[in-house]
Amino acid sequence: MSQQPTVVVFGSGAIGSYVGGCLLAVAPAIESRVLFVARPRLLDAVGQSGLTLKDTQGTDLHFPAATVRELFVSQLTAPVLTQVRYVLVATKLNSNRTVGLELAALPWPPHTVFILLQNSLRAVPLFREGFSLAYPVLPAMVAFGVNWNEHAVFFKSNVTALHLPADPLLAHLAAALHTSPLPTVVDVDLDRTLRTKLLFNIANGPLCALCNVTVDEYLACPELREVLAGVLWEGLTVYRALDLPVTDIGYGNMVLLPFLLTMPAPLFALFLILRSRLKGRRPVTGVATQGYGSMWEDMRQGKVTEIVHITESLLELAPQRSQCPITTVLRDTVLQFHGKPQAKPFQALLTPKQLHRKVFPQGLPWVLYTTKSLLAAVAVG
């Protein structure tokens, strides 16, 4: 490698490669160099096709293979770490302890800061179980999804931002990202933002994985929208009891969202169209604009998912776990399929109607339910 990296992206999958690629786009101007630690599948794709970044706002950046091939490696070695300033950890949450142990065994410079791109209030404690070194470890929140294909084309699926904590240690990184194609927020209350994102994570992963749908597809399904509304209602009720505020992270006003999700299908479809036009989304070619998510991939491969860590973040806050029956059902249903690889072509493990019946076995009086949802959201909005 001709120059020593100042930023390492450890776990360069969809999110890590997109965030790192955005830094790569402005690297010469900020005197930064980015090194990506990735799996063989991505190393091969970048080696053949280079790295391409796209989004709904018209971003279309391409880094030729000849210029980025050496920036993607399968493992870290001591000689390349002497100038590292930031390490962006973008691995799965349930591997944090193992990743912490691996990174703790390397000789980092004394000024290195570790940032966890894992959308969880539990991320830092889990990482610290393996990473005992006295370096700063900070959380971050990724509000967007990224999908990629075999040609290393990475597509950011919405206009939401990367949230960094308002910490002076990240001032240089935040300044760099502000000049990049990636919207970045320096968040003065990142715990509130992570708490809000948690409610969507509890629903999104299981719904996509169990019903074999993308987020766009499940938002078009009334049964699955009702499950999402139920998760939001449960979470907002728990937060209200503990006087914990939430915020709009780009998905919609939390005061109204549970109510909007239960609107009749034609009205909700109109709402999505209007929202998309207001946010200025543009058509994109060359890559699927929606993926199924990491939980879908893990379940198809028979791997253990992040579902326990995700749901426990809410359940451990609830005064009584019985207050979160929907969250509990989603967790238990995902756990039923752990360790059971799926054969191609992948099929839905449950239909939307089957999942809806598991979540709401007695049915639900929706006039009362949506009223409760709205009242709960107003109370914490």
Side-chain angles (χ1 to χ4, degrees):
M1 182 171 296
S2 58
Q3 293 182 308
Q4 297 291 77
T6 55
V7 178
V8 169
V9 183
F10 190 85
S12 296
I15 296 295
S17 296
Y18 192 90
V19 175
C22 288
L23 282 170
L24 193 62
V26 297
I30 61 171
E31 299 182 350
S32 289
R33 295 166 296 282
V34 185
L35 181 68
F36 301 79
V37 183
R39 292 180 176 176
R41 178 187 170 205
L42 180 55
L43 297 180
D44 292 342
V46 171
Q48 291 290 326
S49 306
L51 176 68
T52 302
L53 309 180
K54 297 187 177 189
D55 67 16
T56 59
Q57 303 302 294
T59 296
D60 193 347
L61 297 174
H62 178 69
F63 305 93
T67 65
V68 296
R69 187 181 291 117
E70 70 167 356
L71 304 180
F72 283 77
V73 299
S74 60
Q75 61 184 2
L76 293 171
T77 57
V80 304
L81 303 181
T82 58
Q83 301 299 316
V84 171
R85 187 168 183 177
Y86 298 109
V87 180
L88 307 181
V89 180
T91 51
K92 300 287 180 63
L93 181 63
N94 54 357
S95 66
N96 265 23
R97 184 179 183 277
T98 302
V99 169
L101 286 168
E102 182 176 349
L103 294 181
L106 294 167
W108 301 100
H111 53 264
T112 306
V113 181
F114 294 79
I115 304 102
L116 310 184
L117 307 180
Q118 297 168 325
N119 293 351
S120 175
L121 291 165
R122 301 181 116 205
V124 173
L126 288 170
F127 185 80
R128 283 290 189 191
E129 288 181 9
F131 189 81
S132 59
L133 304 181
Y135 289 88
V137 179
L138 301 173
M141 199 281 289
V142 179
F144 51 88
V146 175
N147 191 38
W148 69 284
N149 65 18
E150 69 275 13
H151 303 295
V153 178
F154 290 79
F155 175 73
K156 178 175 175 285
S157 59
N158 55 43
V159 298
T160 49
L162 171 67
H163 289 243
L164 296 176
D167 192 302
L169 292 172
L170 300 185
H172 184 76
L173 180 66
L177 286 165
H178 280 312
T179 65
S180 81
L182 179 60
T184 302
V185 175
V186 176
D187 199 326
V188 297
D189 192 352
L190 188 64
D191 281 1
R192 179 180 66 172
T193 304
L194 287 168
R195 201 162 45 238
T196 306
K197 182 66 164 65
L198 169 65
L199 303 184
F200 295 95
N201 290 350
I202 289 172
N204 287 354
L207 294 183
C208 292
L210 293 169
C211 297
N212 202 43
V213 292
T214 66
V215 173
D216 278 356
E217 288 170 343
Y218 96 60
L219 287 176
C221 175
E223 291 89 356
L224 298 184
R225 286 204 312 274
E226 289 174 359
V227 176
L228 173 58
V231 170
L232 295 181
W233 174 62
E234 281 186 352
L236 291 170
T237 302
V238 170
Y239 293 163
R240 177 184 58 177
L242 299 172
D243 197 25
L244 296 173
V246 293
T247 186
D248 181 357
I249 58 173
Y251 299 154
N253 190 310
M254 292 297 290
V255 173
L256 298 175
L257 194 54
F259 177 75
L260 293 173
L261 287 165
T262 60
M263 292 192 303
L267 290 178
F268 187 77
L270 179 61
F271 163 72
L272 288 181
I273 292 171
L274 292 174
R275 184 170 179 269
S276 178
R277 290 182 178 177
L278 286 172
K279 290 184 175 291
R281 293 187 177 184
R282 302 179 186 180
V284 175
T285 58
V287 62
T289 58
Q290 284 283 339
Y292 293 91
S294 61
M295 190 173 294
W296 180 92
E297 294 178 359
D298 286 344
M299 289 181 67
R300 268 48 190 183
Q301 296 172 28
K303 295 180 179 179
V304 174
T305 72
E306 300 172 304
I307 188 64
V308 172
H309 288 303
I310 292 171
T311 53
E312 281 299 312
S313 297
L314 178 63
L315 293 174
E316 66 187 9
L317 288 176
Q320 296 181 339
R321 292 187 172 227
S322 60
Q323 292 178 288
C324 299
I326 301 172
T327 299
T328 302
V329 168
L330 289 178
R331 180 200 62 192
D332 293 347
T333 304
V334 170
L335 290 176
Q336 289 176 10
F337 295 98
H338 272 193
K340 299 177 181 178
Q342 306 297 312
K344 293 183 179 180
F346 298 136
Q347 303 292 326
L349 302 172
L350 293 171
T351 67
K353 290 186 182 298
Q354 288 172 330
L355 182 58
H356 189 274
R357 282 197 295 269
K358 286 177 73 71
V359 171
F360 305 117
Q362 306 300 322
L364 208 57
W366 281 105
V367 173
L368 175 62
Y369 175 72
T370 53
T371 302
K372 281 186 174 182
S373 299
L374 187 57
L375 291 174
V378 168
V380 297

